[in-house]
Amino acid sequence: MSSDAPISALLDPELLIERYGERIFRLARRMTNNDADAEDAMQNTLIKILKNAGSYRGESDPMGWIYRITLNEAREIHRKHKRRPAVSLDSLPIDFDESNHPTGVHDFSRRPDKDAMAGEVDAQIREAIDELPDGYREAVVLHDLEGVPYAEAAKLLDLSLGGFKTRLHRARLHLRKRLDQFFTAHDAKDRS
Amino acid sequence: MSDCNASTCKRVADLLLQFRDGSLPAEDLAFVREHLHRCPPCVGIFDSYQEVIDVLQRLQPVRMPEGLMERMRHKVAEGASMDDEGPCEDAEPCSDEEPGEA
């Protein structure tokens, strides 16, 4: 999240959009999975930054503060326009069979057709991210998509490092399960 | 797979993130490695877990909609002129120390 931009850029709409606009939109777009919602979140974020920049007393690099506002705005809009019910991740998203082994495990990492199916896989993974509960979606977006390191992402979400890793792990396991189900259904369709 | 049961597999599944990023203590690392030698379903989970991370890293970058920045300049100018009441009541704290929730 490093940036060489001075905080004065937060006070000037032109500079704010020029220096931070793309990153704000990208994060909002990842969070909402929708261009129109991301634009609304971006607009709200920019206005909020401009209104409050005068009293900003944070670190010299304001990117964390900007990310935090963007996350809050994107979360609110995603909740309002929610297109999919959130899944529950209170327990590990892995099933076990009667003999106590993980069941339904499809190791799709070795499929010879996985590159040819990349477009469908991308669509599936975006849908699966969209149905994650807010905090889990934020963990995946920040760390796996935006490349924010564990400690910084945990701080942004007000979590301990361990708490952040638990969320990220369960979110990834849910995405794994969704792709597993997708490939299983794809193969069943091919056989029929 | 004599030691492979739900509680063992579940414990291994819980540790996969740290196993992958190399942050497991030595004792847990040995436990996970040993288990993966004996339990093909858990290997399948680990390999496909890794694949999910690869897919996430390969996802197409976000494309900026045409004219977005120009629209934002207008919208922000409109928003600022329509509301001159000062800082929002529900605004995020102006410090990195106390994050706000929506």
Side-chain angles (χ1 to χ4, degrees):
Chain A
M1 286 193 290
S2 65
S3 167
D4 58 359
I7 289 171
S8 59
L10 304 178
L11 298 163
D12 181 321
E14 281 292 325
L15 280 178
L16 178 63
I17 291 171
E18 183 187 317
R19 293 190 178 167
Y20 299 107
E22 189 169 337
R23 276 183 282 182
I24 291 170
F25 181 79
R26 198 175 61 208
L27 179 60
R29 180 66 177 75
R30 300 276 201 204
M31 286 293 301
T32 59
N33 198 30
N34 178 286
D35 274 352
D37 287 352
E39 283 203 35
D40 287 346
M42 180 181 182
Q43 179 184 351
N44 294 347
T45 299
L46 292 170
I47 290 171
K48 202 163 268 189
I49 290 169
L50 288 164
K51 279 184 181 172
N52 294 281
S55 53
Y56 176 73
R57 298 287 181 271
E59 298 165 359
S60 59
D61 178 0
M63 205 53 224
W65 185 62
I66 292 173
Y67 263 5
R68 199 185 295 264
I69 295 173
T70 310
L71 284 174
N72 284 345
E73 295 302 325
R75 186 187 304 134
E76 196 164 317
I77 285 174
H78 188 267
R79 279 179 187 164
K80 204 182 293 178
H81 299 167
K82 195 148 189 63
R83 292 168 177 83
R84 294 177 183 81
V87 295
S88 168
L89 289 177
D90 292 340
S91 59
L92 217 54
I94 295 175
D95 298 324
F96 294 93
D97 65 16
E98 291 170 354
S99 56
N100 292 330
H101 292 115
T103 185
V105 177
H106 183 163
D107 181 7
F108 45 83
S109 68
R110 299 173 201 281
R111 290 178 69 99
D113 58 353
K114 68 177 185 180
D115 289 339
M117 296 176 72
E120 290 170 81
V121 169
D122 281 10
Q124 288 293 320
I125 210 104
R126 286 181 206 279
E127 278 185 24
I129 291 170
D130 200 41
E131 70 190 10
L132 287 169
D134 291 337
Y136 295 82
R137 189 171 66 260
E138 288 159 8
V140 167
V141 168
L142 284 173
H143 183 75
D144 285 336
L145 299 183
E146 290 296 308
V148 178
Y150 288 143
E152 287 179 53
K155 190 178 169 192
L156 281 171
L157 300 180
D158 297 324
L159 293 170
S160 65
L161 189 57
F164 176 78
K165 286 186 175 183
T166 297
R167 276 198 194 175
L168 178 64
H169 185 47
R170 288 192 180 187
R172 287 171 171 175
L173 283 173
H174 171 70
L175 303 183
R176 195 213 69 78
K177 190 174 184 177
R178 278 291 307 269
L179 285 190
D180 197 327
Q181 291 167 341
F182 164 71
F183 281 116
T184 301
H186 177 271
D187 291 348
K189 196 174 165 189
D190 269 2
R191 281 195 298 272
S192 64
Chain B
M1 291 192 287
S2 58
D3 70 340
C4 187
N5 56 56
S7 59
T8 314
C9 293
K10 186 172 183 307
R11 185 171 163 221
V12 167
D14 268 331
L15 297 174
L16 287 183
L17 179 146
Q18 292 153 286
F19 178 68
R20 182 187 166 275
D21 72 16
S23 63
L24 272 184
E27 190 180 332
D28 287 337
L29 181 62
F31 164 74
V32 173
R33 278 188 177 149
E34 172 70 13
H35 182 80
L36 291 178
H37 276 300
R38 296 163 180 262
C39 184
C42 284
V43 172
I45 288 174
F46 178 68
D47 285 346
S48 49
Y49 180 88
Q50 176 61 51
E51 178 69 13
V52 164
I53 297 166
D54 292 345
V55 169
L56 289 168
Q57 288 173 350
R58 285 197 308 262
L59 269 187
Q60 290 289 316
V62 169
R63 279 184 302 183
M64 307 303 283
E66 201 169 330
L68 172 69
M69 297 307 178
E70 200 49 43
R71 281 198 299 283
M72 279 301 139
R73 285 187 183 93
H74 287 297
K75 286 179 174 178
V76 167
E78 281 171 16
S81 65
M82 284 173 63
D83 188 347
D84 57 357
E85 295 168 3
C88 326
E89 287 178 10
D90 66 338
E92 321 312 318
C94 302
S95 151
D96 286 343
E97 302 307 315
E98 295 178 17
E101 283 294 316

